[in-house]
Amino acid sequence: MTAPCLELRNVTKSFGGLRVTQGVSLKVATGERHLLLGPNGAGKTTLFNQIAGDLRSDSGDILFEGRSLIGLRPDQRVHLGLARTYQIISLFGRNTLAHNLALALLGTSRRRWNPFAVISRRDPIWDETRAILMQVGLEHLAERPLAQTSYGEQRRLEIAMALAQRPRLLLLDEPMAGLSSNERLLVEEVIRSIPRSVSVLLIEHDMDIALRLADRITVLHHGTKISEGDRDTVVSDSKVREVYLGC
């Protein structure tokens, strides 16, 4: 049997006396769009940080394509095929969109230690940069400084930079937070365009869009998994309706 793309086994993290994730187990199948749902403070971003290696788990195991990630640094996990976005955008505001993306591409290349590697516009890396910008609908803004773009365009660039790492697992942490309704639809289109060779684990509070995207849903409350299944199963779960939907 093929191993799932991602598997969490009883993952736990505490800060002092506060246990933020409590024995969380879940599986993300290859090619699946998996939604991580829960109210603020449920432990969703902490769980992302544990998967990405930004936080060390207190106990449990995290497996990527059957291989344990415990003890691996974030950069080592990236080179295995895991990429993520963050709630707070961190990009180079004075550089163009194309330059930001080219740097992300260079980061996965053996040439990343060469400070002159992205200077030449004849370098094939620029062809890949343009192709990824086209995938997220930003090719017409390639030479615009990031500081002169909208927040929604920066969100799409952040996803493009994650895709530039050629992941097989992509963690999207609230990619539509703070966006207008039109910008959210554009980001939804970008997520839908991601090939099924890439599995996606998504945190999102826009319920309509999130439920449209998700194949499977896991619901957290106070760091504990309280429900899991497809859309109909989760939406009809009385525990979910009580703690998340307020009814």
Side-chain angles (χ1 to χ4, degrees), residues 189-210:
E189 290 178 9
V190 169
I191 296 173
R192 288 190 183 280
S193 76
I194 298 171
R196 284 283 175 164
S197 57
V198 181
S199 307
V200 177
L201 183 59
L202 169 72
I203 298 174
E204 184 50 54
H205 287 294
D206 187 318
M207 290 286 289
D208 291 336
I209 290 179

Side-chain angles (χ1 to χ4, degrees), residues 13-244:
K13 180 63 182 178
S14 297
F15 297 99
L18 178 63
R19 183 167 290 184
V20 183
T21 55
Q22 305 186 52
V24 178
S25 296
L26 64 84
K27 295 180 181 180
V28 178
T30 299
E32 186 175 68
R33 275 61 179 135
H34 197 117
L35 173 63
L36 196 58
L37 196 60
N40 290 332
K44 304 183 297 297
T45 294
T46 296
L47 197 63
F48 261 34
N49 289 336
Q50 290 173 264
I51 296 168
D54 296 320
L55 282 176
R56 180 179 297 177
S57 299
D58 296 332
S59 60
D61 202 357
I62 300 170
L63 295 95
F64 175 60
E65 298 178 340
R67 173 178 176 172
S68 177
L69 298 179
I70 300 303
L72 296 183
R73 302 187 308 270
D75 63 297
Q76 293 173 314
R77 302 183 191 205
V78 168
H79 285 284
L80 285 177
L82 187 154
R84 70 166 297 182
T85 65
Y86 291 84
Q87 286 182 345
I88 299 174
I89 294 175
S90 180
L91 303 172
F92 298 104
R94 294 184 180 180
N95 291 347
T96 65
L97 274 67
H99 194 197
N100 270 274
L101 185 51
L103 289 174
L105 285 166
L106 189 64
T108 61
S109 168
R110 293 180 179 179
R111 298 177 298 149
R112 61 187 176 274
W113 305 115
N114 181 353
F116 304 104
V118 296
I119 291 178
S120 172
R121 287 288 175 157
R122 293 187 296 273
D123 194 299
I125 205 168
W126 292 103
D127 294 331
E128 191 170 358
T129 294
R130 287 188 288 271
I132 298 174
L133 286 174
M134 184 176 295
Q135 182 181 350
V136 299
L138 294 174
E139 69 279 7
H140 62 295
L141 300 177
E143 300 305 323
R144 181 172 295 182
L146 183 78
Q148 297 177 19
T149 60
S150 71
Y151 186 65
E153 290 162 347
Q154 293 174 25
R155 278 289 182 189
R156 280 188 280 159
L157 178 63
E158 186 186 34
I159 296 174
M161 292 175 69
L163 291 174
Q165 298 169 36
R166 305 176 185 88
R168 296 189 300 282
L169 173 63
L170 179 59
L171 310 179
L172 297 176
D173 193 350
E174 297 191 36
M176 302 175 201
L179 303 185
S180 68
S181 57
N182 184 59
E183 288 173 330
R184 290 178 186 180
L185 292 175
L186 291 172
V187 172
E188 180 182 2
E189 290 178 9
V190 169
I191 296 173
R192 288 190 183 280
S193 76
I194 298 171
R196 284 283 175 164
S197 57
V198 181
S199 307
V200 177
L201 183 59
L202 169 72
I203 298 174
E204 184 50 54
H205 287 294
D206 187 318
M207 290 286 289
D208 291 336
I209 290 179
L211 293 175
R212 287 200 300 267
L213 289 170
D215 300 318
R216 190 167 180 83
I217 304 166
T218 297
V219 185
L220 298 182
H221 184 53
H222 294 319
T224 302
K225 184 173 75 173
I226 63 169
S227 184
E228 189 172 74
D230 59 19
R231 172 179 176 159
D232 292 340
T233 299
V234 169
V235 170
S236 62
D237 191 312
S238 60
K239 297 189 296 294
V240 175
R241 298 180 67 85
E242 179 181 354
V243 304
Y244 192 81

